[in-house]
Amino acid sequence: MAVQQRKTVVTETTKTETTTTTKNVDHQVGKTWGRDRDVSFGTILISLGILVMSPIWVLYTYISCNGYQCAMSAPALEIYNAPDALVALKTLLARELPTFSPYAARLFFTWLTFQAVLYAFLPAQIGYGQRTPAGHLLPYKVNGLLAWFISHAIYAAGGLYFGWWKLSIIHDNWGGLLIAANAYGYFLTFFCYIKAHLFPSHAADRKFSGSFIYDLLMGIEFNPRFGKYFDFKLFHNGRPGIVAWTMINLSFAAAQYQKIGYVTNSMILLNLLHATYVLDFFYNEDWYLRTIDIAHDHFGFYLAWGDSVWLPWLYTLQSHYLVRNPVDLTPVQFGIIFTIGFTGYFIFRSVNHQKDIVRSTNGECMIWGKPAKVIRTSFVTSDGKTHKSLLLCSGYWGLSRHFNYVGDLLISLAMCMTCGTKHLLPYFYIIYMTILLLHRIQRDHTRCKGKYGKYWEEYMKVVPYKLIPYVY
């Protein structure tokens, strides 16, 4: 399932310069970009498959790790080799399915509430995303970095100093937390579907496809909110899942220590790579407001359940694996993986930094020692107003339209490599990220072509490669 969850930037470099009202403009113009409105029967079938198979896959990975040392094929082979496959399936599910835990449920909803309180009441800068198809420029509270530090300080103090819980508390309640997170993810999905019909935050930005299945998956509302600032997308994309990402890894590292008496260098490197990525996300949270998650995706199952379940359970698979299969890397292996990961991070951050510089200077800046090359564009929103933006086509952005994804993929690969090569399951992340980012490239192309028209055609001639220069 292509869930939101990695925070990758869209191609377009936008800085609104002027806004003018265009008379007699077809107000359907703003509807040519954004989420799809007209979907095929095939797309609806695929959407149904995602709705059904995504929860099954998360459950399957849980069973594989919890009962079979993260050997991905083991549960399926047990059923396949049994004399009666149906009986074997029932036996396996009875033995391995997570069970409801009142304590784990309290733990999850306390965590969710705590993050909501931090999001709503911590001091925050006000950031702004890109203009929506209906012409809205929405404010966002940016305080994720402070929330991350407070959350981790309480987690560490409660476990190490006060003795309120073991540092392995998340690992120890993983099955019960999975049930609680699923319950919330499904509740949030249907709540947002109903809200979009009955009391939308910005009615003009809704998209209806005519398919219940597609609208449930991809969402109808663009920016559902409570009040002026409590934005569902920013909260659920950033908190609680990404704040919890590093905490989950630390908890599984603590569980590894309890199991074997030390923490492996592979687990330490994994925690370092994940923490670098997460802290970069929160340090640059204002930048995230202009990524595809905020600037394009509507809020349905794709993000509601995805942020609640898919992200915390599947993005941390490597730490689950290393608890059950400790890996001691040689100094050479450690160095190679470290170099791949932080080379990827350098590319990822440098590419996005170039775009931020161009945006903040309206293109009047130097990129790689030369004046930035930009295409100055205009687009019309459905309220009939014309806006101006920039498309950067020099520096990294002259190499390919999504060179930042090269860095993203290198980081993802390094995270998986910490687990060695004995099992495939910990490499699910790089496989998934490759599929996700290739799909995003196409989604971004469709959106930008509809938004920018002739300017996008010009941009494609200047920058012909989508990802890897001279390859793709």
Side-chain angles (χ1 to χ4, degrees), residues 24 73 132 237 444:
N24 301 320
S73 62
T132 72
N237 281 352
D444 182 60

Side-chain angles (χ1 to χ4, degrees), residues 342-352 396 403 406-407 410:
F342 281 94
T343 298
Y345 174 72
F346 174 79
I347 293 172
F348 173 79
R349 180 42 48 209
S350 299
V351 176
N352 292 324
Y396 287 110
F403 200 78
V406 174
L410 287 174

Side-chain angles (χ1 to χ4, degrees), residues 104-118:
R106 291 196 300 272
L107 192 65
F108 176 82
F109 287 103
T110 298
W111 167 256
L112 185 70
T113 303
F114 178 62
Q115 289 304 310
V117 169
L118 293 182

Side-chain angles (χ1 to χ4, degrees), residues 266-390:
S266 58
M267 180 70 87
I268 292 171
L269 180 54
L270 175 67
N271 273 263
L272 178 61
L273 290 168
H274 280 174
T276 300
Y277 196 85
V278 168
L279 287 172
D280 177 88
F281 168 78
F282 284 121
Y283 183 78
N284 296 285
E285 190 175 13
D286 183 80
W287 154 83
Y288 172 62
L289 302 178
R290 291 167 292 280
T291 64
I292 195 169
D293 297 331
I294 299 295
H296 176 70
D297 290 337
H298 288 237
F299 197 79
F301 178 90
Y302 179 81
L303 292 178
W305 181 88
D307 290 329
S308 304
V309 180
W310 185 272
L311 188 156
W313 264 261
L314 295 187
Y315 283 27
T316 59
L317 268 178
Q318 296 89 20
S319 61
H320 307 181
Y321 178 87
L322 291 173
V323 170
R324 296 162 177 87
N325 304 275
V327 173
D328 293 298
L329 300 170
T330 67
V332 172
Q333 291 170 331
F334 188 99
I336 291 173
I337 297 169
F338 181 94
T339 301
I340 292 173
F342 281 94
T343 298
Y345 174 72
F346 174 79
I347 293 172
F348 173 79
R349 180 42 48 209
S350 299
V351 176
N352 292 324
H353 180 62
Q354 285 186 351
K355 200 182 79 159
D356 289 340
I357 291 175
V358 170
R359 177 186 292 117
S360 63
T361 61
N362 192 29
E364 304 296 331
C365 63
M366 304 293 285
I367 298 293
W368 287 353
K370 299 178 180 180
K373 296 180 181 179
V374 300
I375 296 174
R376 298 187 180 274
T377 75
S378 63
F379 62 94
V380 180
T381 49
S382 62
D383 58 0
K385 295 181 179 178
T386 300
H387 311 274
K388 296 185 181 296
S389 351
L390 304 176

Side-chain angles (χ1 to χ4, degrees), residues 14-122:
T14 303
K15 177 178 175 64
T16 301
E17 299 169 337
T18 60
T19 301
T20 59
T21 301
T22 304
K23 295 182 180 180
N24 301 320
V25 170
D26 179 0
H27 281 217
Q28 297 297 314
V29 171
K31 295 182 180 181
T32 63
W33 51 285
R35 203 210 75 181
D36 290 339
R37 297 174 65 244
D38 303 312
V39 296
S40 66
F41 180 70
T43 299
I44 295 171
L45 284 181
I46 293 172
S47 300
L48 179 61
I50 292 173
L51 287 168
V52 172
M53 295 307 298
S54 296
I56 292 175
W57 174 245
V58 172
L59 187 60
Y60 185 85
T61 61
Y62 169 84
I63 291 173
S64 297
C65 283
N66 196 57
Y68 299 88
Q69 300 294 106
C70 290
M72 189 171 67
S73 62
L77 287 175
E78 179 178 317
I79 296 169
Y80 178 79
N81 293 324
D84 189 325
L86 184 58
V87 172
L89 175 60
K90 291 179 179 179
T91 302
L92 184 151
L93 293 178
R95 184 181 71 241
E96 300 295 346
L97 279 177
T99 57
F100 173 75
S101 164
Y103 176 75
R106 291 196 300 272
L107 192 65
F108 176 82
F109 287 103
T110 298
W111 167 256
L112 185 70
T113 303
F114 178 62
Q115 289 304 310
V117 169
L118 293 182
Y119 178 69
F121 295 107
L122 280 181

